[in-house]
Amino acid sequence: MGSSIFWLLCVIGLSHTSTEKIYNGMECIPHSQPWQVGLFEGTNLRCGGVLVDRRWVLTAAHCSGRYWVRLGEHSLSRLDWTEQIRRSGFSITYPDYQGARTNHEHDLRLLRLGTPVLVTRSVQPLALPTSCATPGTECHISGWGTTNRPWEPFPDLLQCLNISIVSTATCQAVYPGRITDNMVCAGGVPGEDACQGDSGGPLVCRGVLQGLVSWGSVGPCGQGGIPGVYTNICKYVNWIRRVIKNN
């Protein structure tokens, strides 16, 4: 598209309550991200998420509450005939998460769906990683958004953006004392970014889930040399599998 876009949406019957942005994204190929989840309170999109099992969605820990979980979406304003809607019930936040006091370390939460999804071409779990992503790995993020120009119409089609993993040392230099091994950083190319708002959305690298949108720069998104920070999913695979197995 060539223009900056917010991650959140504001279309008829839907409203955005924060300012998640993907800069220079493009419309995803319809239903090419079948694990993509939107978490709604009523008609308001609150967070993103990712389907990791027929009955479980992974999102950010600071996305607290119960949600209507929408899967199989591409357009949020018209019927695609691929949608599935579930209600979240039981949830488990990673035990050591302490919010902003720990810079959102351990920022992940599992939501159990009221009933399992039907696996289709448009609704499929995303595989968990068997190893951590290395610097330079090409990845992508996805989410619903609008242009960064308030006078333009709000598109409601799922947007995608390619970004690359940056080294921990590079990220630590940008955020001194705030980056741990439980975080992975990506982006930093001028004008291409995700930032605070629609947390919990997936960072997908080589067909597996490597991160969840967690936090980033306090200032404007898309600044050159300032990557976004994601929960480093490779550090939590055993916990995720254990929760799913035991619940």
Side-chain angles (χ1 to χ4, degrees):
M1 286 186 176
S3 62
S4 58
I5 57 173
F6 286 104
W7 188 293
L8 289 185
L9 67 160
C10 183
V11 295
I12 296 174
L14 300 167
S15 63
H16 61 83
T17 56
S18 50
T19 54
E20 184 64 24
K21 310 179 192 69
I22 300 176
Y23 285 34
N24 287 328
M26 297 181 65
E27 179 187 347
C28 302
I29 296 171
H31 309 295
S32 62
Q33 316 298 310
W35 47 80
Q36 179 75 46
V37 168
L39 301 180
F40 288 78
E41 290 180 341
T43 58
N44 296 320
L45 178 65
R46 299 300 187 188
C47 281
V50 55
L51 187 70
V52 293
D53 179 85
R54 286 187 61 218
R55 199 165 186 172
W56 292 90
V57 165
L58 192 60
T59 188
H62 66 269
C63 294
S64 59
R66 290 189 65 193
Y67 298 102
W68 290 104
V69 180
R70 294 174 58 170
L71 310 101
E73 298 277 14
H74 182 64
S75 166
L76 292 175
S77 66
R78 67 175 184 268
L79 193 61
D80 294 311
W81 301 103
T82 54
E83 298 89 343
Q84 297 183 43
I85 299 176
R86 299 291 187 272
R87 183 68 167 162
S88 71
F90 175 75
S91 68
I92 297 182
T93 298
Y94 192 81
D96 294 332
Y97 177 69
Q98 297 179 26
R101 289 178 292 173
T102 59
N103 296 319
H104 291 297
E105 187 172 19
H106 311 303
D107 193 8
L108 71 163
R109 177 178 181 235
L110 276 164
L111 307 176
R112 189 174 68 185
L113 304 179
T115 56
V117 302
L118 176 66
V119 175
T120 66
R121 183 180 67 87
S122 303
V123 178
Q124 297 180 23
L126 180 59
L128 298 172
T130 57
S131 61
C132 298
T134 56
T137 300
E138 293 185 358
C139 309
H140 67 271
I141 53 179
S142 54
W144 288 276
T146 180
T147 65
N148 197 21
R149 296 173 179 150
W151 59 87
E152 290 186 352
F154 295 125
D156 67 334
L157 304 177
L158 189 65
Q159 304 288 307
C160 287
L161 174 68
N162 295 326
I163 57 176
S164 297
I165 301 293
V166 302
S167 70
T168 299
T170 298
C171 203
Q172 287 173 337
V174 176
Y175 304 106
R178 301 181 65 190
I179 303 300
T180 73
D181 289 341
N182 297 313
M183 304 170 188
V184 62
C185 300
V189 174
E192 297 182 359
D193 195 10
C195 64
Q196 73 278 357
D198 188 21
S199 301
L203 173 72
V204 183
C205 310
R206 297 176 179 171
V208 301
L209 179 66
Q210 288 286 3
L212 299 175
V213 176
S214 183
W215 60 278
S217 172
V218 175
C221 299
Q223 299 178 68
I226 302 181
V229 184
Y230 300 76
T231 304
N232 198 9
I233 294 301
C234 67
K235 301 294 185 178
Y236 300 96
V237 172
N238 290 339
W239 178 79
I240 294 168
R241 295 193 191 282
R242 187 167 62 251
V243 169
I244 291 174
K245 180 181 178 181
N246 294 338
N247 295 277

